[in-house]
Amino acid sequence: MGYVNLGQLIADLEAHGELIRIDVPVDARLQAGAIQRRVFRAGGPAVLFTNVSGCVFPMVANLYGTMDRMRFIFRDTLQTVERLMRLKLDPMTAVRRFWEYAGAPRAAWNTMPKKLRTGPVMENECSVSDLPELVSWPMDGGGYVTLPQVYSENPVSPGFGASNLGMYRVQLTGDSYETDREVGLHYQIHRGIGPHHAEAIRRKEPLRVNVFVGGPPAMTLAAVMPLPEGLPEVFFAGAMAGHRIGFVTGDGRLPILAEADFCLSGTIAPDLQKPEGPFGDHLGYYSLAHDFPVLRVDKVYHRTGAVWPFTTVGRPPQEDTMFGQFIHEMTAELVPSVFAGVHEVHAVDAAGVHPLLLAVGSERYVPYAAERQPQELITNALSLLGNTQTSLSKYVLICAREDSPMISAHDVPGFFDNLLRRIDLTRDFHFITRTTIDTLDYSGISLNQGSKVVVSVAGPHKRQLGTEIPADFDLPEGFSDAQVFAPGILVVGSRAHDRGRDEHDPALERLGERLSHVKGLEEFPLIVVADDAGFTSADWDNFLWVAFTRSDPATDLYGVGAFSHCKHWGARTSVIMDARLKTYHAPPLEPVPDVERFVDGLGASGGPLHGII
């Protein structure tokens, strides 16, 4: 059976050599987060901080820091849940191979939450200011909960059946909030709590919310699981836990996770927002301060022996990368059933997840045509942009499996090679402008608003890809240091961006004009302009991060031989992507040298991290 609470998980990980203790004093401001990031990068164990400066509660990090540990944590239930998911693809499988599904009735029973009169989390109360004040990056606006499970119910139909459990950022301290009375609740667009909050606003009443921290690891996984609308996350948590999840109910309260380590209970007022942030985010930059809802805290509960789990976010890969990979393993086979004609998708973690989605689809609309061209692929891509978390994607690059049966969206270099050899630059770009984008993406024209582009590619090779800079390649003033990053991809350095938001840069248009006479440039269909060509070209992780987190398709794509015809845009020779940091972008995250030296000391001979980092 799965873990009932966090304490069981910690004890079991320690017994199996998957957790270490750090008993020396560690500050939750900057030091704890820096340690977690370094241990994660080293593929190290979970870390229990027993001596948190100025706080009575221990903290634990990196619980989910490796795929092996993720599989170990859910080893008792993972196969059963995967089999249940496969039933969506082929319901008759359970009839033909009934012995593999003998546990299905029990798993279904476990999805139903158990109602309790009380639970360990109700044993003690404290104040918000008693909780660990985790600050991961120097410009963070205050202490944050980074592994929260935010629970709400639909005011129209309360109960588990219409509930939502999400991992939304919770700011505990900061200048905006009344000490011990208010915390910030940052939820992004396309999140399940949104309809609950909208209904409460319509009814002019507060929305009750509980924030759980700790408890069964299945609840943490459920909070980040992209489930279909109408399937409550708490049901999935029970299946992953291998037992019914207990909630304290009654007395008119919103259900409280009985085995949680902490619970903040309160209400969101229908007409109150305050500045939340800045905060280091998973794109590798700071998300700046913006108005978000405020949770008025009524109670803070905690169990005896409570431990505060946390992670830190930053430029990927980070610990949250493991959640994405684990979820992909569980759900990859379901993609064709959710998106007809799509065989594989890959939200690229190195590019910040939402900025870049690679997909492999089918192109079968006109099988008798002399030459295959994108038609069904465009339908597939629009489906991806209209459903689930893939709707937040900014660049959707989709290729036809018929052209290359072995193509994989997870082989990024191979995918780009296939796409660039076949792309028709005059035909294959399809823009959506003035639309909704990820809240954390500052490349657009305003908060939550920017553009998207579908690049759909099918048919025979259109070109060979260049591996050497053309002999007469000549750059105008302000551009320099051209480098071949990969076959068909050039990276060019440039002076800093100096334009305003929602503006084209005439310098990039002049670059396109200058390059229009370069012979052999057609072998380089993609040219990326960056602040630092050497850094961008160093490896695929750098290239993907710079190119797709720092550009907005409609604003930042230019061309050699660019044209617009009947509102369709294309380029005759090459596409130029302006991937410089813009004047309006949020700053990138930078480590603190003094803090890094402190972590180095823990890794020195005799230190608790010696041999790990």
Side-chain angles (χ1 to χ4, degrees):
M1 301 297 285
Y3 302 102
V4 173
N5 53 50
L6 179 60
Q8 287 184 359
L9 173 61
I10 290 172
D12 198 33
L13 290 179
E14 189 169 29
H16 284 84
E18 288 287 332
L19 179 142
I20 63 167
R21 294 171 178 258
I22 294 183
D23 298 323
V24 300
V26 172
D27 199 324
R29 290 187 56 86
L30 302 181
Q31 291 181 349
I35 292 169
Q36 185 272 327
R37 293 192 295 273
R38 292 277 290 275
V39 174
F40 168 78
R41 286 201 300 270
V47 181
L48 180 64
F49 300 90
T50 63
N51 190 351
V52 180
S53 301
C55 183
V56 299
F57 297 110
M59 303 171 70
V60 65
N62 211 41
L63 289 167
Y64 310 99
T66 70
M67 284 299 294
D68 285 344
R69 193 151 59 246
M70 288 285 286
R71 298 185 191 104
F72 176 82
I73 292 171
F74 299 107
R75 62 194 181 278
D76 292 337
T77 57
L78 182 56
Q79 287 188 344
T80 299
V81 172
E82 288 177 337
R83 288 170 183 158
L84 290 175
M85 288 182 174
R86 290 191 196 108
L87 290 180
K88 178 179 174 62
L89 295 177
D90 182 7
M92 288 302 295
T93 299
V95 177
R96 294 191 299 265
R97 303 179 63 86
F98 65 90
W99 59 89
E100 292 186 3
Y101 293 85
R106 177 174 291 277
W109 170 250
N110 290 336
T111 63
M112 303 305 298
K114 183 190 302 184
K115 296 181 179 180
L116 304 172
R117 292 185 177 181
T118 189
V121 71
M122 311 294 290
E123 293 171 346
N124 307 282
E125 294 185 24
C126 66
S127 299
V128 173
S129 55
D130 296 322
L131 303 173
E133 189 174 353
L134 176 74
V135 175
S136 301
W137 299 98
M139 287 175 54
D140 283 357
Y144 285 85
V145 190
T146 54
L147 287 177
Q149 307 151 38
V150 181
Y151 180 86
S152 61
E153 294 181 353
N154 190 327
V156 175
S157 53
F160 293 116
S163 67
N164 175 254
L165 187 75
M167 193 167 286
Y168 315 128
R169 201 164 73 206
V170 178
Q171 182 173 348
L172 297 176
T173 60
D175 295 338
S176 300
Y177 308 113
E178 295 180 23
T179 302
D180 290 330
R181 288 288 301 122
E182 295 177 339
V183 300
L185 182 58
H186 175 134
Y187 66 83
Q188 297 161 249
I189 59 173
H190 204 286
R191 297 298 191 263
I193 193 175
H196 293 176
H197 192 192
E199 181 59 34
I201 292 172
R202 188 188 71 80
R203 295 160 66 101
K204 298 181 179 180
E205 63 185 36
L207 177 69
R208 294 187 300 169
V209 172
N210 284 335
V211 179
F212 312 132
V213 183
M219 286 285 287
T220 300
L221 177 63
V224 298
M225 190 74 185
L227 296 175
E229 188 172 348
L231 178 58
E233 290 81 4
V234 293
F235 290 6
F236 174 82
M240 285 302 299
H243 60 264
R244 296 176 66 192
I245 303 289
F247 287 86
V248 180
T249 60
D251 298 330
R253 64 164 60 93
L254 193 67
I256 294 174
L257 179 61
E259 291 286 348
D261 287 69
F262 301 86
C263 175
L264 289 77
S265 291
T267 55
I268 301 176
D271 56 355
L272 179 61
Q273 298 87 39
K274 289 187 176 183
E276 185 267 358
F279 186 73
D281 65 38
H282 68 262
L283 270 69
Y285 307 89
Y286 286 96
S287 59
L288 304 180
H290 299 282
D291 285 352
F292 280 96
V294 174
L295 179 67
R296 292 193 177 276
V297 180
D298 299 322
K299 295 280 188 180
V300 180
Y301 301 101
H302 71 89
R303 67 186 301 141
T304 301
V307 179
W308 185 266
F310 76 95
T311 188
T312 59
V313 292
R315 179 188 163 184
Q318 299 289 347
E319 186 178 3
D320 56 356
T321 300
M322 298 300 104
F323 284 110
Q325 292 183 6
F326 188 71
I327 290 169
H328 171 75
E329 282 192 358
M330 285 195 295
T331 61
E333 293 184 45
L334 295 180
V335 168
S337 71
V338 178
F339 304 106
V342 178
H343 305 288
E344 185 186 24
V345 296
H346 178 199
V348 181
D349 185 70
V353 181
H354 294 316
L356 177 61
L357 183 73
L358 307 183
V360 177
S362 287
E363 185 49 69
R364 304 163 297 186
Y365 275 5
V366 190
Y368 50 83
E371 179 179 316
R372 184 184 299 108
Q373 60 179 298
Q375 295 180 81
E376 184 180 3
L377 290 179
I378 299 172
T379 302
N380 294 342
L382 293 176
S383 176
L384 288 166
L385 286 174
N387 291 278
T388 69
Q389 294 302 306
T390 61
S391 67
L392 292 175
S393 304
K394 182 169 62 174
Y395 287 87
V396 179
L397 279 51
I398 185 166
C399 294
R401 189 170 68 173
E402 289 80 1
D403 292 328
S404 181
M406 300 304 293
I407 189 174
S408 170
H410 284 78
D411 172 14
V412 174
F415 188 95
F416 270 83
D417 190 88
N418 179 84
L419 180 141
L420 294 176
R421 290 181 188 277
R422 290 183 164 85
I423 190 169
D424 183 337
L425 300 176
T426 69
R427 178 193 68 193
D428 292 341
F429 284 80
H430 311 278
F431 290 86
I432 303 171
T433 61
R434 265 40 179 191
T435 190
T436 304
I437 63 172
D438 184 8
T439 304
L440 301 181
D441 191 331
Y442 281 83
S443 68
I445 60 176
S446 67
L447 184 69
N448 291 331
Q449 189 178 31
S451 66
K452 301 175 186 290
V453 66
V454 169
V455 182
S456 54
V457 176
H461 287 181
K462 303 291 191 298
R463 66 188 60 78
Q464 296 296 316
L465 299 181
T467 57
E468 295 183 4
I469 297 175
D472 59 346
F473 191 81
D474 182 33
L475 293 171
E477 183 182 356
F479 299 92
S480 62
D481 195 22
Q483 303 187 26
V484 176
F485 166 66
I489 303 176
L490 285 176
V491 176
V492 175
S494 171
R495 66 175 56 152
H497 181 267
D498 62 1
R499 311 301 295 182
R501 188 185 289 276
D502 201 19
E503 290 183 27
H504 275 305
D505 188 341
L508 273 293
E509 294 172 341
R510 289 195 296 271
L511 175 63
E513 293 170 1
R514 174 71 70 89
L515 297 179
S516 62
H517 305 294
V518 176
K519 295 179 180 179
L521 191 64
E522 64 276 3
E523 294 184 353
F524 291 93
L526 177 59
I527 301 171
V528 173
V529 176
D531 297 292
D532 186 336
F535 173 84
T536 304
S537 300
D539 54 41
W540 274 97
D541 281 354
N542 284 7
F543 174 81
L544 294 168
W545 183 58
V546 170
F548 294 99
T549 65
R550 299 182 182 183
S551 64
D552 171 78
T555 306
D556 296 323
L557 291 185
Y558 302 81
V560 180
F563 68 90
S564 180
H565 175 70
C566 295
K567 300 186 177 62
H568 175 77
W569 182 91
R572 293 181 176 86
T573 305
S574 305
V575 168
I576 299 173
M577 174 187 286
D578 183 359
R580 296 172 294 172
L581 279 171
K582 309 303 190 296
T583 56
Y584 45 86
H585 282 184
L589 303 175
E590 300 288 349
V592 180
D594 287 347
V595 175
E596 295 302 316
R597 283 191 287 271
F598 170 78
V599 181
D600 289 339
L602 298 179
S605 179
L609 297 179
H610 180 62
I612 295 175
I613 62 172

